[in-house]
Amino acid sequence: MSLFIQKYGGTSVGTLERIRSVAEHIAATYRQGHRLVIVVSAMGQQTDELLDMALALSPEPPQREVDMLLSVGERISMSLLAIALNDMKVPTVSFTGSQSGILTDDTHGNAKIQRILGDRIRKALDANKLVIVAGFQGMSEAGKEITTLGRGGSDLTAIALAHTLKADRCQIYKDVDGVCSADPRLVPAAKVMPTMSWDSLSHLTWYGSGVVHNRGVHLAKKFQIPLEIRSSFNLETPGTLVGESRTVEKAVVHAITHRKDLSWIRLLGCEAGTISPVLTYLYTLGEHPLFVQQQETDQGFTMDLVLGSKFKDKLAAFLQKEAPAAKIIERGHGLACITLVGDGFWQQPELLARMVQSLGRKPLLFDCKNAFANLLIPQENLEASLRALHHDLIEAVVL
């Protein structure tokens, strides 16, 4: 029998009605003869609500206790879904991340999976049971502490389980019909992409798209795991199939993503090794800069960073302790970054010129690689720029 891993996001299980609807779909798949492992997120906005409770009690709650608190959300949704499925006469058992043997490092809030034992999952599957696993969480292998995998970590749980259990399919069910060519809330002409490569999806998720967890996409690419990104609300839609690239020596823009509320800062008076602790510290906060450049000058090393504005003050406090000689200069705030994802950009230089031409203005920064290009602009120009770039480089191009 085929083994399917299915992941359902927070809005997919946001109410009891949604849980019943999802349970009916899962039950139908199970009755077709498939073995199933279901990964669930917390219901609706429950993770944010729990975090707000913690912040109401302390401006800086201990991250260990935050992980203990936030892990409750997925336990609630997995239990309710298991109750619904058992009521439909589908033999179902639910496991937390630790019960599933998802072992991580010791980092609270953004832990990395080290390995997955999965013994209890395999035993349940052998007994013809449907298994539900709480996403987003695991247990540190050394300290035996509850850990969480970072925002969107349920995607990572599902993809890691697909690798460990050698699943035939990994289906990520969301509240969207698939991966779109741009954010449809800002670009009405955006369309669902029927197929795309792991590389393209990895770039999209790294530079702003929240459709799938970036580390999960990286894992899928590493182990060649095909993904289906589908809607739990429109079950008949085929969604997006993610796998190998089919582009052959052709410069093309596949999709556009963006981030906003960014700042461009410069660090002066840095030592040569400052970049490593800075990036490590930002990673622990769940942030990765969109642009990093370090260079040596007569006054020492300088480092340029484009990062979320809300992290600027935290980075300043960190540098005051760890690199007191470093000085922060703000080069721009209220910025947005548009990222065009595709292939062969360097093979067709005129495409790069069209990017700037469609933008209608010179970007503050233009960082281009062969498979993606970043354009840093004032945030007030974001929506108009997205629509112009999408029209000129995707809609008007016959692929």
Side-chain angles (χ1 to χ4, degrees), residues 107-392:
T107 305
H108 286 291
N110 203 21
K112 289 185 177 180
I113 298 174
Q114 303 296 300
R115 60 193 179 114
I116 298 179
L117 302 179
D119 295 341
R120 296 186 69 176
I121 296 175
R122 292 187 184 91
K123 185 176 180 179
L125 289 172
D126 289 342
N128 203 33
K129 291 184 178 181
L130 188 152
V131 178
I132 303 176
V133 175
F136 174 65
Q137 60 186 259
M139 180 180 70
S140 63
E141 188 163 10
K144 310 302 181 188
E145 296 279 6
I146 298 299
T147 56
T148 61
L149 307 178
R151 285 294 179 146
S154 295
D155 294 337
L156 179 58
T157 301
I159 294 168
L161 283 171
H163 168 62
T164 298
L165 300 174
K166 308 304 179 187
D168 297 282
R169 291 190 190 180
C170 184
Q171 300 171 316
I172 309 294
Y173 283 91
K174 316 285 286 189
D175 57 0
V176 294
D177 289 344
V179 183
C180 290
S181 54
D183 187 338
R185 295 169 296 183
L186 300 180
V187 184
K191 302 294 184 183
V192 173
M193 304 174 64
T195 62
M196 70 185 316
S197 68
W198 290 299
D199 278 333
S200 291
L201 185 58
S202 180
H203 294 319
L204 279 177
T205 55
W206 182 258
Y207 287 107
S209 174
V211 66
V212 186
H213 194 290
N214 174 261
R215 282 161 53 199
V217 179
H218 178 77
L219 198 65
K221 175 187 173 184
K222 179 179 179 180
F223 294 110
Q224 305 283 285
I225 301 170
L227 304 178
E228 295 179 27
I229 316 300
R230 307 185 62 176
S231 170
S232 63
F233 292 81
N234 301 312
L235 292 169
E236 300 305 316
T237 58
T240 302
L241 180 62
V242 183
E244 291 183 295
S245 174
R246 296 182 180 179
T247 302
V248 180
E249 290 196 325
K250 182 178 181 180
V252 60
V253 176
H254 294 308
I256 302 174
T257 189
H258 68 277
R259 272 186 63 183
K260 55 185 181 179
D261 300 324
L262 301 173
S263 291
W264 178 9
I265 62 174
R266 173 168 291 175
L267 309 185
L268 302 177
C270 300
E271 296 182 359
T274 302
I275 190 169
S276 178
V278 164
L279 295 181
T280 299
Y281 172 69
L282 290 172
Y283 176 81
T284 63
L285 300 178
E287 168 67 348
H288 63 270
L290 296 184
F291 178 84
V292 181
Q293 185 179 62
Q294 181 174 285
Q295 58 184 355
E296 187 175 10
T297 69
D298 294 339
Q299 288 76 39
F301 285 90
T302 67
M303 187 190 313
D304 276 34
L305 300 165
V306 175
L307 73 170
S309 296
K310 65 180 181 180
F311 298 101
K312 185 175 55 178
D313 291 341
K314 292 182 178 181
L315 179 59
F318 171 79
L319 288 170
Q320 192 170 15
K321 294 179 182 178
E322 303 297 327
K327 179 182 179 182
I328 293 182
I329 295 177
E330 185 166 315
R331 303 198 64 189
H333 64 278
L335 305 177
C337 182
I338 296 175
T339 302
L340 300 100
V341 173
D343 196 24
F345 290 176
W346 285 356
Q347 299 171 30
Q348 190 174 325
E350 59 267 27
L351 180 62
L352 308 182
R354 286 174 57 202
M355 292 178 187
V356 178
Q357 183 180 3
S358 297
L359 193 65
R361 60 187 61 82
K362 184 178 179 181
L364 303 175
L365 276 177
F366 186 24
D367 176 31
C368 182
K369 303 295 186 291
N370 194 48
F372 65 90
N374 290 321
L375 300 97
L376 190 67
I377 63 171
Q379 187 164 300
E380 60 264 26
N381 300 327
L382 175 62
E383 188 168 337
S385 298
L386 282 171
R387 293 185 180 186
L389 287 162
H390 189 274
H391 177 271
D392 293 348

